Amino acid sequence: MILSLSIRDFVLIDRLDIEPGAGFTALTGETGAGKSIILDALSQALGQPADRSMIRAGQDQASVAVEFSPSVHHPLWRALTEAGIEASPDETVTFKRIIRKNGPARAFINDQPVSAALLSDLGELLVEIHGQHAASSLMRPSMHRHLLDLFARNESLLEACAKTYALMEEAVEKREALEAAHAEAIEQRDWLIEAVEDLMRLAPQEGEATVLSERRTLLMQSERVTEAVSEAEKVLDGTGIEEALAKAARATGRICHLPGFENSDDALPVAARAAAEAVERALIEIKEVMGSISQLESLVDHDTSELEASEARLFALRAAGRKHNCDPDMLPDMRDALQGRLDLVEAGEDALIAARKAEADARAKWHQAAGKLSDARKAAAGQLDKAIAKELGPLKLGRAVIKARVHPLPEGEGGASGIDRIEFEAETNPGAGFGPLRKIASGGELARVSLALKCALAEAGSAMTLIFDEADQGVGGAVAAAIGERLVSLGQDRQVFAITHSPQVAASAAAQWLVEKGAGGSRIRGLDDSSRQEEIARMLSGAEVTAEARAAAGRLLEDA
């Protein structure tokens, strides 16, 4: 439901902040006071095409923000996730629209920029507006199948239909792919035989090219390594550095053992010991250097024949890779794939027969699931027709007949949602013939038909906020009272707003707001019992409120 509505600089409205409650709320006021402006503002926040003429005179922009509190299981949360909008079922959701005099309008959900189209799509999950001439989801044929399925509680049948259709599509894709591969394999049979034989002779191994490339690189560098090692050994042997360091170690050692030098803390003995230790370390390290160079020499493997063999094998693998347009390391997979295509020539007919049978079985299962769904829709359509007829009589539309027509789709046009096209049709006068419901011209009839449909479909649809714009247009007395009763009934588990000029409808509401136009623009205020009786009396009598009107208003409120 709507928790709050904030409007800024919109037509006659300077600043408006309201927090509606649950149940049925009536919006009343004189013609031109701005009741429909509030509806227009809400429509902008729900993604209707931006209209710069709605910006209040003298201002650069208008803004409308609506805060909702959907239940944790409401489909909006999933839709938000799919749209990449950050939102949590533990929090509220705010839709906002800014219309600028200069520049494009902007749309936001929870302060995250979105397109107006997304705002509109998600808004339909939350609010249904039944205007005098405005389109509602009930008037759109694209929604009729959805509404009938909701009425019939066809969720499991829809799921089965969608699942079997997906499996059928998968079977069709497999069969088509197999047919295409089989035809191509037959056409390329001679080439496939030759290609497979060549790869069999080559016998490539997984990852072989990479290993050979690395080994070839090492073998190519082995000669240079040998030269460098020889040079290092020659330099070290020629210098006699090891012998020199040994002599230096003995000499510095003798200094350290002179009388008075071994444990003395004087500078000269300390320096002598440090020098002896440094020479000793150098001697140890030069021995390690000589050992490391000797080990390096033993590891050098310069085999010219192996290098030539590695190069020949690597070049052969690379040539085959270029021929088959693949990485040389993928040649084993290519060989298996080509062999599979060749096998398809021999065993392809059996595989095709199996694929066609699998497709036929999948198609039969989908047709069975779609048939059950269609039967359920046809049965539910009759029940829905009766439910709608029951609502039309009290609304003075007893001569009208509304039917949910279930039409079979042309062969080949069915899908995950079944094999039916559903559309609500209407006959406004006996014998006039049925036509699409959306073509009903009368605004008053359209609003009342919307109300009748919504009452009949009380459990259908996800929108928990319903708004009716003058559903009582052109009626009064008992019909207006019946409209009020139905709005009250809808308000038991939904949030319902009605813009009304009918005192009977206004008196039925749990709450009543008065929209007034003053020097500073339009304003809205909630009415207490006393002011509410006065407003309903004004609606009954006009400009001059009489005692009789007040008494009649009191009786309407008491009856409600």
Side-chain angles (χ1 to χ4, degrees):
M1 57 179 272
I2 295 176
L3 289 182
S4 65
L5 172 64
S6 297
I7 304 174
R8 300 288 184 273
D9 298 318
F10 195 89
V11 192
L12 300 176
I13 299 174
D14 174 19
R15 180 187 184 94
L16 177 63
D17 295 289
I18 52 179
E19 296 181 355
F24 169 32
T25 299
L27 280 76
T28 63
E30 296 181 352
T31 300
K35 299 185 297 299
S36 294
I37 294 174
I38 297 173
L39 183 58
D40 291 337
L42 181 60
S43 297
Q44 291 290 305
L46 296 174
Q48 289 299 307
D51 186 352
R52 289 191 177 94
S53 67
M54 297 292 183
I55 301 174
R56 182 175 168 83
Q59 302 301 314
D60 293 328
Q61 67 177 37
S63 67
V64 186
V66 193
E67 184 183 14
F68 298 95
S69 61
S71 67
V72 293
H73 302 296
H74 197 282
L76 175 74
W77 300 115
R78 181 177 179 180
L80 287 171
T81 300
E82 292 174 350
I85 305 298
E86 295 181 5
S88 170
D90 298 329
E91 300 174 353
T92 61
V93 177
T94 300
F95 285 36
K96 186 175 182 179
R97 194 76 177 281
I98 298 176
I99 307 169
R100 299 182 291 182
K101 183 177 293 185
N102 299 312
R106 303 192 65 190
F108 302 87
I109 296 179
N110 284 359
D111 292 327
Q112 300 174 60
V114 298
S115 66
L118 179 61
L119 206 65
S120 177
D121 291 342
L122 299 183
E124 288 184 356
L125 299 174
L126 296 167
V127 179
E128 282 189 6
I129 299 176
H130 302 265
Q132 297 179 52
H133 298 287
S136 87
S137 61
L138 293 175
M139 299 301 112
R140 290 163 46 198
S142 60
M143 290 293 294
H144 295 177
R145 185 190 68 222
H146 175 65
L147 291 170
L148 179 60
D149 284 332
L150 284 173
F151 178 80
R153 302 185 184 279
N154 283 338
E155 291 86 356
S156 60
L157 293 175
L158 276 166
E159 183 179 353
C161 187
K163 183 177 180 180
T164 54
Y165 183 76
L167 292 174
M168 183 191 74
E169 282 193 315
E170 182 180 345
V172 170
E173 290 177 1
K174 287 184 178 179
R175 187 263 305 163
E176 290 177 345
L178 193 59
E179 285 180 342
H182 183 251
E184 184 181 11
I186 291 176
E187 183 179 345
Q188 298 179 347
R189 182 176 182 276
D190 293 340
W191 178 83
L192 286 171
I193 291 174
E194 180 182 351
V196 170
E197 288 178 350
D198 287 345
L199 288 174
M200 287 294 189
R201 284 193 295 270
L202 185 61
Q205 303 299 313
E206 184 177 356
E208 183 182 3
T210 298
V211 173
L212 282 172
S213 179
E214 293 173 353
R215 181 60 178 163
R216 174 174 173 263
T217 299
L218 289 175
L219 289 171
M220 290 175 67
Q221 302 302 327
S222 62
E223 186 173 357
R224 294 182 182 179
V225 174
T226 299
E227 292 174 356
V229 169
S230 297
E231 182 180 352
E233 287 181 330
K234 182 178 180 181
V235 169
L236 290 173
D237 288 341
T239 59
I241 189 170
E242 184 176 5
E243 182 180 352
L245 286 172
K247 290 179 180 179
R250 289 194 293 272
T252 54
R254 287 198 302 272
I255 296 172
C256 293
H257 290 89
L258 291 173
F261 272 65
E262 290 190 11
N263 299 313
S264 175
D265 292 333
D266 288 344
L268 180 58
V270 170
R273 289 196 295 272
E277 291 173 0
V279 172
E280 187 67 30
R281 287 197 302 272
L283 180 59
I284 293 172
E285 288 177 0
I286 198 62
K287 288 180 179 180
E288 290 179 355
V289 169
M290 298 295 289
S292 297
I293 291 175
S294 297
Q295 183 181 18
L296 181 60
E297 182 180 23
S298 67
L299 292 175
V300 174
D301 184 9
H302 182 58
D303 188 336
T304 304
S305 60
E306 182 185 358
L307 175 59
E308 292 175 352
S310 296
E311 286 184 335
R313 178 65 176 172
L314 180 61
F315 294 161
L317 291 172
R318 287 176 175 175
R322 288 193 298 271
K323 179 179 179 179
H324 295 288
N325 195 28
C326 71
D327 187 285
D329 282 337
M330 300 301 294
L331 286 172
D333 293 335
M334 176 60 70
R335 177 193 57 207
D336 295 342
L338 293 175
Q339 182 64 60
R341 289 167 62 186
L342 188 58
D343 293 342
L344 192 61
V345 176
E346 308 299 332
E349 287 299 330
D350 292 339
L352 280 174
I353 291 171
R356 288 164 182 159
K357 183 179 184 304
E359 178 188 347
D361 291 344
R363 189 177 299 278
K365 290 179 180 178
W366 170 65
H367 272 297
Q368 183 180 20
K372 288 182 179 180
L373 178 59
S374 185
D375 292 341
R377 285 169 172 166
K378 291 171 183 176
Q383 298 172 10
L384 180 58
D385 294 345
K386 293 177 182 178
I388 294 172
K390 183 179 178 181
E391 297 293 335
L392 291 175
L395 298 174
K396 296 301 181 184
L397 290 173
R399 294 168 63 84
V401 180
I402 310 295
K403 288 187 176 295
R405 300 288 197 186
V406 182
H407 303 285
L409 288 169
E411 186 68 28
E413 292 189 13
S417 298
I419 53 176
D420 307 305
R421 178 178 64 85
I422 290 94
E423 183 171 5
F424 293 139
E425 296 182 357
E427 184 182 59
T428 54
N429 291 296
F434 282 87
L437 177 62
R438 65 184 185 276
K439 293 186 177 179
I440 293 179
S442 166
E445 280 188 333
L446 183 60
R448 280 183 284 156
V449 167
S450 296
L451 178 57
L453 279 167
K454 196 62 215 176
C455 290
L457 293 163
E459 298 301 321
S462 63
M464 296 305 294
T465 297
L466 309 178
I467 300 174
F468 294 89
D469 185 10
E470 299 193 27
D472 53 359
Q473 184 184 46
V475 301
V479 178
I483 291 173
E485 290 173 4
R486 276 144 186 80
L487 292 174
V488 170
S489 177
L490 287 175
Q492 290 178 357
D493 55 6
R494 282 174 170 78
Q495 188 181 45
V496 178
F497 299 91
I499 295 174
T500 180
H501 289 285
S502 166
Q504 290 89 350
V505 172
S508 300
Q512 183 174 347
W513 294 345
L514 176 62
V515 182
E516 300 173 301
K517 183 178 180 182
S522 296
R523 68 187 186 98
I524 186 170
R525 61 186 177 93
L527 302 180
D528 58 20
D529 292 343
S530 175
S531 55
R532 188 175 181 188
Q533 181 176 356
E534 191 70 12
E535 168 62 8
I536 293 176
R538 182 200 63 77
M539 297 171 71
L540 285 166
S541 63
E544 184 178 351
V545 179
T546 64
E548 292 80 3
R550 290 190 179 93
R555 287 193 296 272
L556 284 176
L557 289 168
E558 288 176 4
D559 292 341

